[in-house]
Amino acid sequence: MLLCGNPAPFVLLHWRLGADHAMIICVERQPERTLGGCRRRHLLSVVMNETIGHMQPAMIDPFGRHVTYLRVSVTDRCDFRCSYCMSEHMTFLPKKDLLSLEELDRLCTAFVAKGVRKLRITGGEPLVRKNILWLFRALSRHLGGGLDELTLTTNGSQLPKLAQELKEAGVRRINVSLDTLRPDRFKAITRWGDFAQVMAGIEAAEKAGLEIKLNAVALKGVNEDEFEDLIRFAHGRGFDLTLIETMPMGDIDGDRTDQYLPLSIVRARLMDRFTLEDIPLRTGGPARYVRVAETGGRLGFITPMTHNFCESCNRVRLTCTGTLYMCLGQNDAADLRAPLRASADDRLLMAAIDEAISRKPKGHDFVIDRRTKQPAVARHMSVTGG
């Protein structure tokens, strides 16, 4: 109500009363100004969170996009060595360089206070991090109090032992990476992966009552003959399936140009076998969905190369060392570890987050360079968070 007494006219957008805090989101109408080369009415969102004790401006980038989705890589390590993601002989970060789980909790809490509604825990493989369930349990306190969803992306290897505990920790929906249904091909793609263990993990997640979406990277000459089988497998079990174009990130000990398969070609091929109906479903991420009439299931396409999704980007990515990447396909980044450790309160951290969001670019620069065959971004996806 304090906001309503301000001389500037405010409009209430949302309010929520939690067990130990209250949150109000409103907008202040301000005069038109030029942003990104075009004139538009600027809306300044404000978040008031009593647990922080002072007003927190929401995260709006220079192009008017609200940042409401944080992807957090809790480790760069993985128990697989997928051929499109990393070298087989990776050099990982020293464990001493990683943020503690308590520090990751504090960072995520700051982002929730600034308007993040969806948290996705990633890696590497997030479930190989020691005591990772502690972080899920800690972050679940924000559910219903500003945070709408706490989820993760996993290769499935650790789900046989952790699926039920993840559900009890507040996770309701997970993404599982599965590029093939053939055990021999699975071993060739993942190098170190165990197909039977991943299948057991998917079954454990189903038994625990977790909603499952499968992610498959489209790889030319590798799994392009399996997309129909993957669709029928996923939809036959009530799962969504998303196909993803390979992205030029990091040295993979091979020629990425040979792997690249445009999803425009994949979609055209699928339309010879299925009826694909566009639907308006949005899950907070970059996928664009269709309904497959013959199965009744949903099929997503993530196309960073053939049709980027930058115009609606609502995401930033935090690494396990406290580096914030405002764009997956750009190298510009902000160090949040220094302000996090410099003070017991969050004022320096909040200021660093605001400064970083003010530098979020309009879009990425992904390109498959067939001349140099070098990745567009030198860091591996496992560092940034897949």
Side-chain angles (χ1 to χ4, degrees), residues 110-121:
F111 276 95
V112 171
K114 294 188 70 63
V116 159
R117 310 295 297 275
K118 180 176 179 178
L119 276 175
R120 180 176 296 280
I121 306 301

Side-chain angles (χ1 to χ4, degrees), residues 59 67 69-73 99 107-108 111 114 116 119 315-328 330-339 349-361 379 383-384:
M59 296 179 291
V67 176
Y69 182 5
L70 177 66
R71 300 175 66 102
V72 184
S73 174
L99 295 178
L107 274 170
C108 290
F111 276 95
K114 294 188 70 63
V116 159
L119 276 175
R315 297 168 296 285
V316 290
R317 295 169 185 258
L318 181 69
T319 74
C320 55
T321 60
T323 300
L324 184 70
Y325 285 96
M326 290 70 79
C327 175
L328 177 64
Q330 298 276 7
N331 285 316
D332 188 31
D335 174 21
L336 299 186
R337 179 168 59 182
L349 175 60
M350 295 296 189
I353 292 172
D354 289 340
E355 192 278 332
I357 299 302
S358 75
R359 293 190 276 119
K360 184 170 170 62
R379 69 183 183 278
V383 173
T384 315

Side-chain angles (χ1 to χ4, degrees), residues 11-22:
V11 177
L12 181 68
L13 285 187
H14 171 79
W15 70 275
R16 183 180 302 216
L17 184 64
D20 60 353
H21 72 283

